[in-house]
Amino acid sequence: MTSQLLQGPRYELQLFDLDEDYKTIDRFENQVDAEAAISTIPDLLLKDFVGIRIIDWQTESEVIEYLIPSNFKVL
């Protein structure tokens, strides 16, 4: 299964909740594009999650994790 993942984009942008359920937003060829995409996530989508992470599927490791502030409010 890992070999199939390596054929596609390397970095995956995900949202996660307190139960560590993950929602994939998109996959990217490089980390810079994945990080830039964070600012394009709609606020209404963020309200159901506690954090954002980027996974590197080539090394099978988490590259970046951001926690969404608990005082985050959708206006």
Side-chain angles (χ1 to χ4, degrees):
M1 182 168 159
T2 302
S3 62
Q4 290 178 338
L5 290 174
L6 295 178
Q7 293 173 2
R10 177 175 175 173
Y11 296 93
E12 188 167 302
L13 178 60
Q14 300 178 334
L15 297 176
F16 61 91
D17 62 19
L18 287 174
D19 296 325
E20 294 187 13
D21 290 327
Y22 298 93
K23 176 178 180 59
T24 298
I25 300 300
D26 208 346
R27 297 185 75 187
F28 301 89
E29 295 296 333
N30 62 66
Q31 184 178 337
V32 172
D33 289 344
E35 288 181 44
I38 290 171
S39 65
T40 67
I41 299 171
D43 290 346
L44 287 174
L45 185 59
L46 291 176
K47 73 179 181 66
D48 296 327
F49 296 92
V50 298
I52 301 167
R53 73 178 188 167
I54 297 173
I55 301 294
D56 179 342
W57 287 113
Q58 188 169 21
T59 62
E60 297 183 0
S61 63
E62 189 172 271
V63 177
I64 294 174
E65 179 177 293
Y66 298 104
L67 295 179
I68 299 168
S70 60
N71 62 350
F72 175 79
K73 298 282 187 262
V74 176
L75 300 175

